[in-house]
């Protein structure tokens, strides 16, 4: 039931806005109509007066027709030699002691209903019994990783408040327990399998938090070899680098979705770990992938801990299924996101959180009507963090026009770029990259040529004409074409490309916008008295100045670029050192200083960060020093060191294509 239903015959029947069928109103829902034909209770019922609302679902919508149990979080820590040695395991255990108090809960609840469990692993799995009645946690080892089973049910998943002392005890013991390990080989697929089986046995949905650092080479299902091969770049076989190496990960992903098991993966690689394989289950289950290359405890802990805190506290829906319905004349044909699809209509998500977006492509395949417009309803069935089964409904009515000019006038370039990025990143699994890039250029030219031909006022062919709402389409399209996912170069690690491909697939529109065209903010002209953030300038080297300082952010990283003659008072204010030469580029955070410069920059950084799902690591870049090379590839309007076109060159190329299409 939604606002698009029309009540008739005194309120006894209603006509559906989607299929135009007329149905009887069941007695329990009957209400009289007022003098304009609207139900008397119109404003009392959210489903008649609002675009978005929720229902509590009935048992028919629950798994096995039983009310769901609250979800569970299982923490699974790789305790192989490198993770123990780097201090990572101790860092995770120490952080969990305070973090488990912050598990998400409904507003009206005293404490979180989420239960927690703990597993450590290297070549074998260790499960822990942390039942509240125990004095000490108990460890159970599963060494048959070929046929994983859960060795205990009672005492594995517990309420943290009840088992607090046993859990704290365990977290203190884990780093000591494995302190002398020399086991460097790890398993991976059996870890996910074990977590999923534990949730299945407990009959609840949930999330696995897996902290993993190396290619799983130990003898076990899902074992991987190093297949990173630079010779495949720019060949027809390059696409295999983005596909999982073995089939077992796809089957595992399917099982996880079927059991409402979402996998969050925190990776700490110092060499190739095959993100395309190990990240697949995360992508299909609505999980999030985090990657910290060459993790150093001092430099990288703040970023990792901030990501972990945000992730654990996130509002999340579990065991979700989504359907998108439309009125006649068009239909949803393709879906892009951290989702799983078993058929053409049901979008399945083992979990969905506030930072994930699903992009939907619609096909216009029949007549649309200017009077009735086009209607879309998106319905998501999910289990809340407190274990309540709910239906969330979003409805939107869009205008239809027979004039192409109207379509161009109201075009959302940001949404287009989000869609083109996701569809291109999906296409590279099956098509050569060169072809995918050509299709993108071609589609850009087609959209603009069509405008030129049907909507623009006549002018010389040599003139490039862009619709107002699409002025920045070529800039963004060029940024997408230069992204490392679509450019195969030996200098770019395969894992980095697979990682970025996966991140973009679940990004929302605001996130892809910043990711492909970073924000560049001048800092040398800060108004220290006002709260405003300086206006961004275009991402090009010619905007940088020797006497300036700039901040560049793309949602994953943030750079502070300093010109050789940046003002001394700015340098003193930010770094507490007298001159440019004294600044260290090793630092990954700014010192806490009590002065207007420092406070202002901190507030700008906090503002940019507050709207982004990933914690951005700060890199300090000094003009004309080595680190500037890496920074330059984020100046997206310039020619890239990897051969990508500058914005001006790309415009010329697109213009040429348009002229060819028109002639």
């Amino acid at each position: 039931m939604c606002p698009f239903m029309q009540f008739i015959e005194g309120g006894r029947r209603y006509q559906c806005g989607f299929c135009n069928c007329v149905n009887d109103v069941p007695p329990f829902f009957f209400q009289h109509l007022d003098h304009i034909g609207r139900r008397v209770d119109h404003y009392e019922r959210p489903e008649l007066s609002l675009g978005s609302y929720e229902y509590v679902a009935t048992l028919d919508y629950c798994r096995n027709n039983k009310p769901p149990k609250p979800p569970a979080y299982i923490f699974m820590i790789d305790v192989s030699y490198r993770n123990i040695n780097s201090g990572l395991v101790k860092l995770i255990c120490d952080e969990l002691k305070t973090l488990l108090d912050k598990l998400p809960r409904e507003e009206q609840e005293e404490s979180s209903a989420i239960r927690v469990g703990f597993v450590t692993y290297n070549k074998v799995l260790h499960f822990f019994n942390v039942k509240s009645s125990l004095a000490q946690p108990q460890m159970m080892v599963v060494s048959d990783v070929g046929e994983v089973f859960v060795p205990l049910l009672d005492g594995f998943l517990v309420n943290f408040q009840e088992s607090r002392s046993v859990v704290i005890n365990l977290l203190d013991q884990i780093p000591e327990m494995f302190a002398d390990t020399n086991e460097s080989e790890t398993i991976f697929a059996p870890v996910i399998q074990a977590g999923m089986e534990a949730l299945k046995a407990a009959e609840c949905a949930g999330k696995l938090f897996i902290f993993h650092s190396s290619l799983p080479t130990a003898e076990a299902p899902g074992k991987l070899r190093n297949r990173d091969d630079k010779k495949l770049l720019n060949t027809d076989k390059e696409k295999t680098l983005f596909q999982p190496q073995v089939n077992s990960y796809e089957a595992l992903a399917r099982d996880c979705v079927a059991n409402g098991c979402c996998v969050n993966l925190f990776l700490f690689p110092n060499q190739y770990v095959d993100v395309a394989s190990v990240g697949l289950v995360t992508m299909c289950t609505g999980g999030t992938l985090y990657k910290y290359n060459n993790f150093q405890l001092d430099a990288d802990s703040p970023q990792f801990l901030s990501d972990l805190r945000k992730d654990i506290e996130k509002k999340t829906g579990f065991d979700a299924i989504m359907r998108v319905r439309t009125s006649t004349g068009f239909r949803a044909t393709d879906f892009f996101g951290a989702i799983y699809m078993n058929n053409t209509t049901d979008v399945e998500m083992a979990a969905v959180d506030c930072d994930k977006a699903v992009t939907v492509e619609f096909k216009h395949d029949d007549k649309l009507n200017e009077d009735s417009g086009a209607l879309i309803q998106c319905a998501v069935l999910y289990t809340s963090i407190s274990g309540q089964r709910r239906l969330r409904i979003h409805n939107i009515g869009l205008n239809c026009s027979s004039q192409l000019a109207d379509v161009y006038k109201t075009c959302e370039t940001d949404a287009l770029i989000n869609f083109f990025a996701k569809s291109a990143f999906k296409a590279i699994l099956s098509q050569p990259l060169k072809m995918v890039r050509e299709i993108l250029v071609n589609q850009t030219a087609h959209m603009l040529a069509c405008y030129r031909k049907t909507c623009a006022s006549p002018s010389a062919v040599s003139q490039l004409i862009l619709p107002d709402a699409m002025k920045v389409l070529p800039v963004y399209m060029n940024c997408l074409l230069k992204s490392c996912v679509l450019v195969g170069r030996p200098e770019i690690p395969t894992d980095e490309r697979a990682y970025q491909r996966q991140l973009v697939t679940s990004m929302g529109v605001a996130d892809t916008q910043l990711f492909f065209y970073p924000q560049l903010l001048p800092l040398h002209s800060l108004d220290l008295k006002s709260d405003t953030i300086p206006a961004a300038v275009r991402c090009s080297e010619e905007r940088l100045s020797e006497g300036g300082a700039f901040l560049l952010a793309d949602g994953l990283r943030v750079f502070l670029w300093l010109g050789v003659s940046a003002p001394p008072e700015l340098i003193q204010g930010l770094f507490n050192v007298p001159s440019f030469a004294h600044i260290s580029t090793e630092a990954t955070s700014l010192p806490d200083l009590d002065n207007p410069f420092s406070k202002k920059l901190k507030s700008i950084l906090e503002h940019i960060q507050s709207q982004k799902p990933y914690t951005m690591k700060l890199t300090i870049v000094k003009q004309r020093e080595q680190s500037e090379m890496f920074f330059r590839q984020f100046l997206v309007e310039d020619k890239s060191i990897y051969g990508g076109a500058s914005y001006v060159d790309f415009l010329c190329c697109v213009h040429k294509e348009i002229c060819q299409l028109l002639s």
Side-chain angles (χ1 to χ4, degrees):
M1 180 51 61
C2 69
F4 304 137
M5 306 299 188
Q6 190 66 44
F7 290 87
I8 50 175
E9 295 177 26
R12 284 189 300 279
R13 309 187 78 192
Y14 70 97
Q15 183 171 25
C16 171
F18 291 87
C19 64
N20 300 322
C21 272
V22 173
N23 298 298
D24 292 332
V25 172
F28 75 86
F29 198 73
F30 174 78
Q31 186 54 272
H32 295 285
L33 307 184
D34 63 13
H35 63 288
I36 54 168
R38 185 193 276 164
R39 281 175 59 121
V40 183
D41 63 355
H42 179 84
Y43 288 109
E44 282 140 48
R45 286 191 175 270
E47 72 271 33
L48 300 181
S49 54
L50 299 176
S52 299
Y53 44 88
E54 285 197 325
Y55 289 109
V56 173
T58 53
L59 286 180
D60 307 343
Y61 289 95
C62 300
R63 202 183 273 276
N64 309 327
N65 292 49
K66 288 200 310 213
K69 293 180 183 169
Y73 284 2
I74 304 177
F75 299 92
M76 314 184 88
I77 306 170
D78 162 359
V79 290
S80 59
Y81 173 76
R82 199 160 69 83
N83 283 3
I84 292 287
N85 222 21
S86 69
L88 178 64
V89 173
K90 186 171 177 356
L91 179 74
I92 295 167
C93 291
D94 287 347
E95 180 61 29
L96 286 177
K97 287 182 222 170
T98 54
L99 210 43
L100 292 172
D101 275 322
K102 299 187 182 132
L103 292 170
R105 58 190 167 92
E106 296 287 353
E107 268 119 36
Q108 69 278 10
E109 288 182 329
E110 294 264 310
S111 64
S112 175
I114 293 171
R115 289 175 298 162
V116 293
F118 304 89
V119 172
T120 55
Y121 66 93
N122 37 45
K123 261 168 53 170
V124 296
L125 292 148
H126 322 105
F127 286 78
F128 295 94
N129 184 345
V130 283
K131 200 174 175 174
S132 56
S133 55
L134 295 172
Q136 284 286 337
Q138 294 170 347
M139 174 160 104
M140 297 173 123
V141 180
V142 175
S143 50
D144 180 5
V145 290
E147 292 289 324
V148 176
F149 67 98
V150 181
L152 77 157
L153 280 181
D154 189 30
F156 177 61
L157 292 178
V158 297
N159 176 309
F160 175 62
Q161 303 305 339
E162 289 167 14
S163 293
R164 176 187 290 271
S165 60
V166 195
V167 170
I168 299 283
N169 213 328
L170 170 69
L171 294 170
D172 283 334
Q173 288 175 27
I174 287 175
E176 292 161 18
M177 215 182 290
F178 300 99
D180 302 328
T181 186
N182 52 13
E183 185 54 76
S184 58
E185 280 201 307
T186 56
I187 53 175
F188 185 70
V191 181
I192 297 178
Q193 182 83 33
M196 180 196 72
E197 297 289 353
L199 293 174
K200 191 174 169 181
E203 296 181 349
C204 68
K207 246 187 215 185
L208 311 182
F209 289 79
I210 302 181
F211 305 92
H212 187 84
S213 69
S214 57
L215 193 68
T217 52
E219 220 34 76
K223 171 186 173 177
L224 299 173
R225 59 184 172 77
N226 186 341
R227 50 137 183 194
D228 190 15
D229 186 358
K230 301 292 183 207
K231 289 201 283 296
L232 299 181
L233 298 181
N234 303 311
T235 69
D236 280 357
K237 286 210 175 119
E238 184 170 8
K239 57 177 180 270
T240 60
L241 294 173
F242 295 103
Q243 299 162 356
Q245 196 182 127
V246 288
N247 296 341
S248 54
Y249 285 101
E250 287 168 29
L252 187 55
R254 190 176 57 238
D255 290 349
C256 282
V257 172
N259 290 290
C261 169
C262 167
V263 179
N264 269 352
L265 180 54
F266 293 81
L267 280 176
F268 304 87
N270 60 0
Q271 53 200 37
Y272 180 71
V273 286
D274 199 346
V275 169
S277 299
V278 298
L280 184 80
V281 181
T282 298
M283 174 114 110
C284 295
T285 57
T288 310
L289 177 60
Y290 299 91
K291 184 160 76 76
Y292 311 93
N293 298 339
N294 304 313
F295 182 83
Q296 299 288 322
L297 205 59
D298 298 340
D300 302 310
S301 297
Q303 183 194 10
F304 158 57
L305 294 178
S306 162
D307 280 338
L308 179 60
R309 285 168 198 150
K310 270 203 237 182
D311 203 306
I312 282 184
E313 294 172 27
K314 240 178 227 189
K315 280 279 175 17
T316 305
F318 297 86
D319 202 7
I321 187 160
M322 175 174 96
R323 281 194 181 167
V324 177
R325 311 184 173 101
T326 56
S327 51
T328 51
F330 72 120
R331 60 196 169 88
T333 53
D334 216 346
F335 300 85
F336 306 90
I339 55 174
Y340 183 80
M341 297 199 71
N342 227 349
N343 53 38
T344 54
T345 54
D346 296 342
V347 178
E348 296 182 65
M349 298 170 281
V352 57
D353 65 55
C354 51
D355 295 319
K356 300 282 181 292
V358 179
T359 303
V360 186
E361 179 178 14
F362 295 92
K363 201 176 198 144
H364 169 206
D365 54 7
D366 204 353
K367 284 196 175 61
L368 288 170
N369 181 328
E370 285 199 16
D371 300 333
S372 55
L375 310 179
I376 301 173
Q377 181 179 81
C378 166
V380 183
L381 176 68
Y382 72 97
T383 301
S384 74
I385 44 177
S386 59
Q388 190 178 47
R389 198 74 176 145
R390 297 179 186 168
L391 259 167
R392 179 172 294 189
I393 317 283
H394 293 302
N395 303 288
I396 187 169
L398 301 172
N399 292 331
C400 296
S401 171
S402 53
Q403 301 301 314
L404 252 181
D406 291 340
V407 176
Y408 279 100
K409 203 182 287 161
T410 53
C411 160
E412 288 240 10
T413 299
D414 299 337
L416 269 188
I417 289 298
N418 179 282
F419 163 74
F420 278 118
K422 291 186 182 190
S423 57
F425 286 8
K426 188 175 185 175
I428 62 173
L429 293 177
S430 51
Q431 293 166 332
L433 269 80
K434 190 167 182 285
M435 203 153 113
V436 174
R437 289 196 301 267
E438 280 166 9
I439 291 170
L440 285 172
V441 176
N442 209 315
Q443 284 176 315
T444 308
H446 263 276
M447 285 186 277
L448 299 173
C450 172
Y451 175 77
R452 174 77 191 245
K453 193 170 157 189
T454 55
C455 310
S457 42
S459 58
V461 178
S462 59
Q463 206 180 336
L464 176 65
I465 298 178
L466 302 172
D468 271 347
M470 297 175 85
K471 285 259 191 286
V472 293
L473 180 74
V475 187
Y476 277 92
M477 208 43 126
N478 188 38
C479 296
L480 168 57
L481 288 162
K482 290 200 285 193
S483 95
C484 75
V485 180
L486 297 182
V487 178
R489 293 286 301 219
E491 307 91 319
I492 306 172
T494 305
D495 271 348
E496 188 55 35
R497 300 173 70 196
Y499 172 63
Q500 291 193 17
R501 175 182 170 269
Q502 186 156 336
L503 293 197
V504 168
T505 301
S506 63
M507 272 185 190
V509 173
D511 291 339
T512 46
Q513 184 193 6
L514 186 68
F515 180 70
F516 289 113
Y517 193 103
Q519 211 174 15
L520 185 61
L521 305 174
L523 299 177
H524 43 277
S525 49
L526 282 182
D527 179 356
L528 298 174
K529 291 187 185 67
S530 91
D531 284 344
T532 55
I533 282 184
V537 295
R538 290 175 61 166
C539 254
S540 167
E541 193 171 358
E542 62 187 40
R543 298 296 166 124
L544 303 175
S545 54
E546 287 193 0
F550 292 82
L551 206 56
L552 182 143
D554 75 344
L556 294 185
R557 282 163 291 243
V558 58
F559 296 93
L560 175 55
W561 183 92
L562 299 153
V564 283
S565 33
E569 65 274 19
L570 180 83
I571 290 172
Q572 183 69 47
L574 295 179
F575 297 96
N576 205 16
V577 296
S579 72
F580 180 83
H582 290 83
I583 298 169
S584 157
T585 52
E586 297 296 301
T588 52
S589 63
L590 293 169
D592 274 315
L593 302 171
D594 189 11
N595 69 63
F597 279 116
S598 187
K599 285 181 172 162
K600 179 75 182 174
L601 183 55
K602 284 260 156 99
S603 84
I604 293 175
L605 283 168
E606 273 164 25
H607 175 77
I608 300 174
Q609 184 59 67
S610 67
Q611 304 156 327
K612 293 297 153 213
Y614 291 91
T615 306
M616 296 183 264
K617 183 176 164 181
L618 177 71
T619 306
I620 291 159
V621 178
K622 290 165 79 174
Q623 187 180 11
R624 301 186 194 138
E625 288 196 9
Q626 185 57 45
S627 58
E628 210 185 12
M629 279 293 277
F630 181 62
F631 168 77
R632 279 212 184 134
Q633 55 191 11
F634 295 90
L635 299 172
V636 287
E637 289 201 24
D638 303 339
K639 194 171 159 54
S640 140
I641 49 171
Y642 299 131
S646 71
Y647 169 48
V648 177
D649 292 346
F650 180 68
L651 262 188
C652 296
C653 155
V654 170
H655 189 198
K656 239 191 277 179
E657 289 246 351
I658 294 171
C659 295
Q660 272 177 337
L661 287 169
L662 293 174
S663 61

